[in-house]
Amino acid sequence: MFTYALDERTVLRPLTKEHVQPLFELVEMSRDRLRQWLPWVDSTTEISHTEQFVQSALKQAAENGSLTAGIWMDNELAGIISYHEINWTHRSVSIGYWLGHGYEGQGLMTSACRVFVEYALVELDLHRVEIRSATTNRRSRGIPERLGFVLEGIVREAELLPDGYVNHAVYGMLQNEWKQLR
């Protein structure tokens, strides 16, 4: 297990079973804001749902090498960042992330994404990292834009959220591009 310090107050730690309660509480506290962007929020209503998520993340890590980490600020869980299933055949992965209420606008997710992109493209020797975001989610789209990702296109009505379908902006970073930006 790794712990990666983003700064003197903030660390990334892989999710473990001990994180179920603080993760559920963070979702509860942030539910109204998160549900507009994340389709799973409305179906995460009991702690058992969060337990299932953590178990699934641990299983995927063991089987595929994927990683789901908590972002901890001042020893409080602030959010989650994860690799969706790594495609080892094509050496690619997508990154998903979210922050709880009160943790936005501090650069936490940009820093966490930078670490995950570096790890994917350098340590895991993957060829491509992708980040998708609803086109209307300006905060989320700002992260790959700040990191130098290329906007590759828009996927129409890519995801069903509580208020209807949303389009996704697809951002990509290739290993050689990342190495030039470093």
Side-chain angles (χ1 to χ4, degrees):
M1 292 285 184
F2 80 95
T3 298
Y4 188 93
L6 297 177
D7 59 36
E8 60 280 347
R9 298 176 55 204
T10 313
V11 297
L12 298 177
R13 289 189 204 119
L15 280 188
T16 67
K17 293 176 184 177
E18 292 76 34
H19 299 142
V20 169
Q21 185 68 39
L23 178 55
F24 182 73
E25 289 171 4
L26 184 62
V27 171
E28 281 295 299
M29 179 180 77
S30 308
R31 183 172 298 283
D32 290 340
R33 192 183 59 76
L34 293 177
R35 75 179 299 275
Q36 90 183 79
W37 305 119
L38 300 170
W40 53 264
V41 173
D42 284 349
S43 62
T44 303
T45 57
E46 300 175 15
I47 198 157
S48 64
H49 300 142
T50 304
E51 287 172 348
Q52 290 169 1
F53 168 75
V54 171
Q55 288 173 349
S56 175
L58 292 171
K59 181 180 180 194
Q60 190 174 19
E63 293 176 354
N64 182 264
S66 291
L67 177 63
T68 299
I71 303 167
W72 298 82
M73 183 177 203
D74 298 327
N75 292 316
E76 297 288 328
L77 184 61
I80 297 291
I81 184 169
S82 64
Y83 294 134
H84 298 144
E85 186 174 349
I86 298 172
N87 184 322
W88 290 105
T89 301
H90 299 293
R91 294 180 32 236
S92 65
V93 71
S94 65
I95 296 176
Y97 48 79
W98 60 270
L99 284 172
H101 177 71
Y103 294 101
E104 310 95 335
Q106 301 177 52
L108 297 176
M109 196 55 75
T110 300
S111 295
C113 277
R114 184 177 289 110
V115 169
F116 263 52
V117 172
E118 176 78 10
Y119 187 73
L121 297 176
V122 177
E123 299 300 320
L124 297 178
D125 194 31
L126 298 180
H127 176 69
R128 173 185 167 77
V129 173
E130 183 176 286
I131 295 175
R132 290 180 175 224
S133 175
T135 55
T136 53
N137 189 340
R138 290 304 313 157
R139 283 185 181 258
S140 184
R141 289 185 67 180
I143 293 164
E145 291 170 359
R146 280 189 292 280
L147 294 174
F149 277 62
V150 173
L151 175 60
E152 298 177 331
I154 305 297
V155 180
R156 298 177 309 140
E157 297 187 4
E159 186 173 42
L160 178 60
L161 295 175
D163 293 334
Y165 283 96
V166 295
N167 297 340
H168 274 186
V170 180
Y171 293 90
M173 176 67 71
L174 303 179
Q175 184 183 60
N176 66 327
E177 294 168 339
W178 184 254
K179 288 181 176 180
Q180 290 175 357
L181 290 173
R182 293 169 67 212

